[in-house]
Amino acid sequence: MSNRREATLRRLGLEPSAGDLVRAALGGALARAEAARMAQGAAPPAVVVLDAGCGRSSALARHRARIGRFVGVDVHEPAPGALPYLDEFATVDLCTVSDAFAPATFDVVLSSFTVEHFADPDAAFANLARWLRPGGSLVLATVNRRHPFVAAYLGMPDALRRRIQPLVKASAADAHPLVGACNRPAELRDALTRAGYDEIRIESVGHLARAWGRRRPTFALGLVGDLLTRGIPTRRSTLVVTARIPGPAA
Ligand SMILES: C[S@@+](CC[C@H](N)C(=O)[O-])C[C@H]1O[C@@H](n2cnc3c(N)ncnc32)[C@H](O)[C@@H]1O
């Protein structure tokens, strides 16, 4: 999205952005993990992180210097050299593969705009919970079906949505199948609780203008959607979630 459109959104008070919230959540999760590792006598950078559904960019990349081991997984293998910040990449379907990593491998897991694609969110959350260390943190960003435009988009017949997706996505490679099985705040909270997480915190933010901001008409539509729900937290388009696996506080 252009700087001018971003400036318009800031001028209209449409902030923080989903990116701002994810950055803050990751900053807190990494600080907690660093303190836990230090308490165990590990020399920094010792924190082990997973980007689960890493796609083609990661909000964790900016923290690379603080990370001892940086793993990415996705159902699609990236082009060679596309994710230079990763130490390892593995092709993993989070909903079906439970043994990709040993239990308690990771301090922090990020899963950004993936939950809406999960065929079996319960299985994916359980896998991520198993791979997190006690006291480890999960950070999620996903869409909120309680927003009327998101509900309409996810509720469309697949064939129609496939025709619309190229308007809002940078390329066809970014248009992944959508399921939306667990995309309301209460459903997310229940699913994460079932999977064993606690300290679940769900924030919402209007993100449609930014997500659809590549073209002027879709930016304008997104802006209407964001303004429509700005005063209604349960209905804003995008959810940023932090949750923890019970365990020792740092
Ligand atoms: C919208 S993209 C988001 C990519 C990246 N996380 C980001 O924030 O830019 C969704 C990503 O989730 C991946 N994905 C979808 N379902 C998945 C699954 N069951 N297991 C692993 N990755 C999955 C897709 O292949 C895609 O790369």
Side-chain angles (χ1 to χ4, degrees), residues 51 53-55 57 74-76 92-95 112-114 117-118 176:
D51 191 330
C54 57
S57 67
D74 202 289
V75 280
H76 300 297
V92 174
D93 184 333
L94 295 160
C95 297
S112 166
F113 293 104
T114 51
H117 304 288
F118 288 163
H176 306 285

Side-chain angles (χ1 to χ4, degrees), residues 143-161:
V143 298
N144 181 11
R145 276 195 107 123
R146 296 212 66 217
H147 189 291
F149 292 6
V150 174
Y153 190 62
L154 291 182
M156 275 175 194
D158 281 348
L160 175 58
R161 196 172 50 234

